[in-house]
Amino acid sequence: MSELMVKLNNVVKSFDDNVVVKNIDMDINAGEFLTLLGPSGCGKTTTLRMIAGFEQPTDGEVIIDGKEVSNIPPHKRDVNTVFQSYALFPHMNVYDNVAFGLKMKKVGKEDIKRRVMEALQLVQLESFAERKPDQLSGGQKQRVAIARALVNSPKVLLLDEPLGALDLKLRRQMQVELKHLQQQLGITFIYVTHDQEEALTMSDRIAVMNGGIIEQLGTPDEIYERPASRFVADFIGETNLFEGKVVELDEQHAYFDLSGHKIPIVPTNPVSLDEEVSMAIRPERVHLHEERNGASFAIPGKVVEHIYVGSIIKTVVSLPGGYEVTVNETPEVAHSFAVDQDVYVNWEPDKAVVIA
Ligand code: ADP
Ligand code: MG
C-alpha cells in the first residue's frame, strides 16, 4: 500500500458566481508523479494554487501529509511551487536565488552552502552559481527555479506548466530530466500541463480535467487505451469517433450499427439494446485492406488522402454515412493506395472503446 500524501476532499472554488473547480476528490500518493491535464481555463492552476495555499477553497478540504491545511498560508505548508515564469530575482546571482528562502529562515551559513550546492548539483548547475539570471538560457533559468524549490526538501513539489516557455527540443529534454529527478528524490510531484504528450511521457497518473471537474484519473496507459468519456478520447491523442446504436447483443459482443454495417464491439461496461453510444478507435488500431478477405467485419470506404508525417503515414478514408476514418501506419507496413481507390477498414473488436 502506498502512503497518502495529498488528499482533496470535495474541493470547490468559486470566483464571485463563477464556479471554476467543482467538487474535486483526489488522492495523491507519496512519491507519485501526478499530472493535472486539460485545456486552458479548465481549472488546473486554481486547483494547484489551492494545494499550494495561494487560494482558499470555497468548500471542501485540502489535506497534506495527514494535516488539514485548507486555510493555512503557503509558507507553512510542506510544499513549494515552480511557475512557468521562473520568478527569479534578477539582481541576485544563482546561488543567492536558491539560498534566499533558507536565509529568510535563518538557517546557518554552512548549512545553507551545503544545501544550495546540493540543489544546484541536482539540476547540473554547480558551475553557474555566480551567474545572474540574464546570463542564463531559458532552460537554465527554469533549472534554477527548480533548485530553489527543492532546496528546503519539501514533501510535495507543485509545477505549473514549468516547461511552457521552452522550445520543443529543450522541452522534451527537460521532461526526461525532471522525471529522472523526481524518481531520484522520491518527492511527490503535482504537475500541470495542457500538453497531452508531456503528460503521457512523465506521469505515473493523469487527472484529465474539463470545465472544473476531473473527467478521468488513471495511468497514462488507462487514459490512452480506455478513455472514460468522449472528452478524454478526443483530448488525448488522436481518435476516430463514431455515433451509433447498439443493435444486437450476444455473449461476447455487442454490435454497433455504423451506417448499416454491423460492427462487433467488446464493451467494458454493460450496454443495452438500442442504447445510443459513441465508439472511439485509435488511428493506429485501424487496418486497411484491398479486399474483404473473409474478415469478421469490414467496412467499405474510399481513400481521400495520404498525409506523410515522417514516422507515420496517415490515410484518410471516407466511410458510409459521411464518416471519415484516419488510419496511421508505420512506413514499413504502409499501403500506398491511390486517392479514390476502394478499400476496406476494420480493427480488433476489443480495441474499440465504447462510451455511453
Ligand atoms: P487553467 O490553469 O486550467 O488554464 P485556471 O485555473 O487558471 O485554468 O482558471 C480557471 C477559470 O477560473 C478561468 O475561467 C479563469 O478565468 C478563472 N479564474 C482564475 N483565477 C481567477 C481569479 N483570481 N478571479 C476570477 N476568475 C479567475
Ligand atoms: Mg493555468
Side-chain angles (χ1 to χ4, degrees):
M1 256 318 274
S2 354
E3 185 197 337
L4 186 63
M5 181 53 78
V6 176
K7 188 173 181 64
L8 302 183
N9 247 344
N10 276 301
V11 168
V12 177
K13 181 70 189 179
S14 309
F15 294 107
D16 301 321
D17 289 342
N18 193 10
V19 189
V20 302
V21 172
K22 301 170 186 164
N23 265 298
I24 286 194
D25 269 318
M26 189 161 47
D27 285 359
I28 302 163
N29 295 321
E32 188 170 29
F33 194 123
L34 182 118
T35 298
L36 304 176
L37 171 69
S40 175
C42 72
K44 305 181 295 295
T45 293
T46 305
T47 304
L48 202 73
R49 286 172 62 82
M50 288 190 283
I51 302 171
F54 298 118
E55 301 283 358
Q56 294 184 359
T58 310
D59 203 357
E61 296 176 318
V62 177
I63 294 158
I64 297 174
D65 202 19
K67 207 172 109 192
E68 222 245 85
V69 294
S70 313
N71 300 307
I72 288 181
H75 65 277
K76 292 193 176 157
R77 302 185 185 197
D78 217 346
V79 161
N80 279 331
T81 308
V82 175
F83 303 96
Q84 179 175 333
S85 61
Y86 320 129
L88 301 179
F89 300 114
H91 57 287
M92 288 184 196
N93 67 19
V94 166
Y95 183 95
D96 289 331
N97 262 285
V98 177
F100 184 78
L102 298 178
K103 282 184 184 161
M104 297 304 283
K105 285 187 179 158
K106 305 265 192 287
V107 175
K109 211 168 175 181
E110 282 309 305
D111 210 11
I112 292 183
K113 185 168 184 197
R114 183 181 52 79
R115 286 161 71 177
V116 170
M117 292 319 286
E118 269 175 20
L120 287 178
Q121 208 173 351
L122 281 175
V123 296
Q124 292 150 36
L125 282 181
E126 309 97 290
S127 56
F128 289 74
E130 303 298 325
R131 293 229 194 154
K132 291 277 179 62
D134 65 5
Q135 296 169 307
L136 300 173
S137 69
Q140 290 166 338
K141 283 183 205 162
Q142 194 52 290
R143 285 201 186 92
V144 176
I146 293 163
R148 185 179 55 184
L150 290 172
V151 77
N152 61 347
S153 315
K155 290 210 171 91
V156 183
L157 192 64
L158 308 175
L159 304 102
D160 194 352
E161 314 235 9
L163 308 181
L166 306 178
D167 66 50
L168 185 64
K169 198 161 174 215
L170 185 57
R171 197 156 80 226
R172 294 258 160 81
Q173 186 190 327
M174 289 280 290
Q175 287 167 4
V176 176
E177 279 182 26
L178 262 180
K179 177 75 185 163
H180 286 163
L181 187 63
Q182 189 266 341
Q183 286 170 331
Q184 181 188 345
L185 296 171
I187 295 180
T188 309
F189 272 36
I190 307 180
Y191 192 97
V192 163
T193 183
H194 64 271
D195 178 346
Q196 42 104 7
E197 199 178 315
E198 184 160 291
L200 292 170
T201 311
M202 300 177 83
S203 318
D204 294 320
R205 286 190 305 158
I206 301 172
V208 185
M209 291 185 67
N210 181 32
I213 64 158
I214 295 176
E215 293 252 347
Q216 187 171 6
L217 178 59
T219 63
D221 181 66
E222 283 163 1
I223 299 273
Y224 188 82
E225 297 292 346
R226 293 277 136 205
S229 69
R230 241 192 104 96
F231 175 82
V232 176
D234 212 23
F235 190 74
I236 313 289
E238 285 177 73
T239 203
N240 296 292
L241 272 169
F242 303 99
E243 309 297 332
K245 212 178 204 183
V246 177
V247 289
E248 195 180 317
L249 289 167
D250 66 23
E251 293 193 351
Q252 285 145 21
H253 294 113
Y255 294 84
F256 177 91
D257 178 75
L258 194 144
S259 313
H261 294 270
K262 223 164 66 177
I263 300 173
I265 50 183
V266 184
T268 37
N269 295 313
V271 292
S272 45
L273 208 57
D274 286 337
E275 189 175 339
E276 305 269 355
V277 292
S278 304
M279 181 180 66
I281 180 87
R282 298 289 183 193
E284 66 273 22
R285 301 292 196 191
V286 184
H287 305 300
L288 274 174
H289 307 277
E290 199 161 358
E291 308 279 341
R292 205 175 182 290
N293 282 343
S296 70
F297 81 94
I299 314 166
K302 214 181 234 320
V303 174
V304 177
E305 62 176 333
H306 288 291
I307 304 162
Y308 178 77
V309 197
S311 56
I312 53 166
I313 308 223
K314 295 174 167 307
T315 305
V316 181
V317 177
S318 67
L319 299 183
Y323 281 111
E324 279 190 348
V325 66
T326 299
V327 188
N328 287 356
E329 296 175 306
T330 55
E332 305 88 79
V333 303
H335 292 83
S336 45
F337 292 131
V339 169
D340 281 340
Q341 187 172 340
D342 291 320
V343 292
Y344 291 90
V345 299
N346 70 358
W347 48 82
E348 301 297 322
D350 64 345
K351 294 296 185 264
V353 178
V354 182
I355 301 161

